[in-house]
């Protein structure tokens, strides 16, 4: 079921079946990372401006931060000719079905599915098969329908699981066509809440929203329509409002809280870190400066899966 208006929503997260949080992290080596074209506002002026050695050091820092919070990190090699492949949140949406649903969905019984993306930019389209192979090898059942329908969808860049619940947040406006969510709903029979984005700096949902745990999220209110922001406040008990400068310039919302406690984010977001601590979270600051030139930070540089 697709939801866009608060008036149509008569349930909270309690009504959504529980799903375990993902405990594994997938990353892609930055060996071929670069800014070679401009497909988002942040990339403008940065073609040829990447310090690859520094990028590799920063990538190691992100990997270490995940490992230090107890996550298991698996790495696949970035491929030559795909300078954005390092942003591996975008090519797929991994799915863990709630208990009892495994057999309902044909053809393969099992709790793990993966929705393949149809990248908006031509330059990124052929990144997807690398991740299709990875998840097939992990015994995930591959859902190709969105890609085959040629409807733009950028995986976990725009689609996000509500932590611990069978509820999907669906951003659209720049990279993802909302029609993708109709297909996903048809495949998975899942409640999906749509959030419209129209500020070019916040072109993926993960640039302005970070789900922390079942009750808490970080968000930059200015990136949402009033009705979208109200829906966020309906489902999350606390929405921590990230100041504009930290959201726009430091990608403070492009953070990841994989364990419900540690929040890995770009360094320098002093106010965001202060508020996170106030609400019982532990900020872990890392430098992703080279990747921000391409329009991504911590969240985009990994995929979470089960
Ligand atoms: N240069 C990449 C692009 O424009 C950055 C992707 C960042 N990923 C993200 N999930 N926000 O596609």
């Amino acid at each position: 079921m697709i939801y866009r208006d608060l008036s149509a929503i008569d349930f909270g997260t309690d009504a959504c079946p529980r799903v375990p949080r993902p405990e594994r992290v997938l990353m892609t080596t930055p060996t071929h990372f670069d800014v070679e074209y401009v497909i988002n506002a942040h990339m403008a002026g940065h073609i040829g401006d990447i310090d690859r050695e520094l990028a590799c050091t920063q990538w190691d820092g992100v990997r270490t931060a995940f490992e230090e919070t107890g996550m298991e990190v698996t790495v696949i090699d970035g491929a030559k000719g795909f300078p954005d492949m390092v942003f591996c949140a975008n090519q797929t949406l991994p799915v863990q079905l709630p208990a009892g649903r495994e057999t309902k969905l044909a053809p393969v019984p099992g709790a793990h599915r993966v929705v393949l993306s149809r990248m908006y930019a031509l330059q990124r389209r052929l990144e997807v098969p690398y991740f299709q192979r990875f998840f097939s090898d992990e015994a995930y059942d591959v859902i190709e329908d969105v890609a085959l329908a040629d409807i733009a969808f950028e995986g976990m860049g725009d689609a996000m699981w509500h932590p611990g619940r069978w509820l999907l947040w669906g951003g659209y406006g720049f990279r993802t066509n909302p029609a993708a969510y109709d297909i996903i709903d048809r495949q998975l029979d899942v409640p999906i809440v749509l959030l419209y984005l129209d500020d070019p700096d916040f072109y993926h949902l993960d640039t302005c929203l970070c789900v922390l745990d079942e009750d808490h999220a970080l968000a930059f209110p200015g990136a949402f329509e009033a009705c979208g922001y109200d829906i966020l406040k309906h489902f999350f008990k606390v929405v921590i409002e990230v100041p504009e400068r930290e959201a726009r310039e430091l990608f403070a919302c492009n953070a990841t809280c994989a364990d419900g406690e540690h929040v890995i984010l770009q360094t320098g977001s002093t106010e965001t870190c202060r508020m996170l601590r106030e609400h019982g979270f532990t900020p872990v600051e890392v430098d992703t400066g080279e990747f921000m030139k391409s329009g991504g930070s911590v969240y985009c540089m990994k995929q979470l899966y089960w």
Side-chain angles (χ1 to χ4, degrees):
M1 180 82 171
I2 306 282
Y3 299 91
R4 329 168 163 255
D5 296 304
L6 191 52
S7 59
I9 298 172
D10 58 358
F11 63 97
T13 52
D14 291 0
C16 306
R18 284 192 190 281
V19 176
R21 295 183 70 124
E23 68 283 350
R24 300 166 77 190
V25 179
L26 174 66
M27 292 182 72
T28 304
T29 57
T31 330
H32 300 287
F33 167 61
D34 208 343
V35 175
E36 293 178 6
Y37 43 76
V38 175
I39 55 171
N40 70 57
H42 305 273
M43 296 170 95
H46 288 306
I47 289 181
D49 184 27
I50 298 299
D51 178 337
R52 182 81 55 71
E53 209 175 306
L54 179 56
C56 290
T57 307
Q58 292 177 346
W59 185 90
D60 283 337
V62 174
R63 175 188 181 156
T64 305
F66 277 110
E67 285 171 345
E68 285 179 356
T69 61
M71 304 293 288
E72 182 190 324
V73 179
T74 299
V75 176
I76 64 171
D77 286 331
K80 195 166 186 292
F82 298 106
D84 274 332
M85 189 172 159
V86 71
F87 298 111
C88 61
N90 301 152
Q91 302 85 353
T92 58
L93 167 66
V95 179
Q96 155 91 43
L97 299 174
R101 299 249 186 147
E102 298 88 338
T103 48
K104 275 197 201 142
L105 294 166
V108 186
H112 294 150
R113 314 280 146 133
V114 64
V115 179
L116 296 186
S117 297
R118 176 66 166 166
M119 303 303 288
Y120 181 84
L122 222 52
Q123 292 96 327
R124 298 198 62 186
R125 292 253 166 102
L126 293 178
E127 295 173 16
V128 178
Y130 292 94
F131 296 89
Q132 173 172 5
R133 223 163 295 140
F134 174 80
F135 282 104
S136 295
D137 291 348
E138 292 285 326
Y140 275 62
D141 183 32
V142 176
I143 299 178
E144 284 189 89
D145 304 50
V146 177
L148 292 175
D150 200 8
I151 290 173
F153 172 65
E154 295 210 347
M156 293 280 285
D158 275 321
M160 270 178 216
W161 292 108
H162 193 99
R165 294 286 175 173
W166 184 238
L167 172 67
L168 189 67
W169 292 94
Y172 71 99
F174 289 96
R175 297 297 187 83
T176 292
N177 177 337
Y181 296 116
D182 295 325
I183 300 181
I184 293 171
D185 181 31
R186 229 174 292 143
Q187 288 291 324
L188 298 174
D189 185 20
V190 59
I192 306 178
V193 183
L194 298 194
L195 293 171
Y196 175 66
L197 307 169
D198 78 344
D199 181 324
D201 273 354
F202 303 100
Y203 63 100
H204 269 147
L205 184 59
D206 67 18
T207 58
C208 48
L209 173 67
C210 174
V211 297
L212 299 171
D213 65 13
E214 191 176 326
D215 295 329
H216 296 79
L218 276 180
F220 171 56
F224 296 94
E225 293 181 305
C227 60
Y229 201 65
D230 286 345
I231 302 181
L232 275 178
K233 287 195 290 190
H234 168 81
F235 283 105
F236 289 98
K237 291 201 177 89
V238 180
V239 179
I240 301 174
E241 298 196 355
V242 173
E244 177 154 10
R245 192 189 74 84
E246 296 186 359
R248 228 178 255 287
E249 291 168 26
L250 297 172
F251 285 79
C253 297
N254 199 253
T256 300
C257 181
D259 62 356
E261 182 197 342
H262 298 89
V263 182
I264 307 175
L265 80 171
Q266 167 62 25
T267 188
S269 291
T270 320
E271 185 55 15
T272 304
C273 289
R274 188 192 63 72
M275 291 186 288
L276 282 168
R277 282 191 204 95
E278 199 177 280
H279 287 92
F281 294 93
T282 307
V284 178
E285 297 182 65
V286 293
D287 188 5
T288 61
E290 292 309 292
F291 299 93
M292 282 158 51
K293 293 175 181 172
S294 186
S297 183
V298 176
Y299 179 98
C300 318
M301 294 166 67
K302 60 92 191 66
Q303 185 61 294
L304 293 178
Y305 68 109
W306 291 266

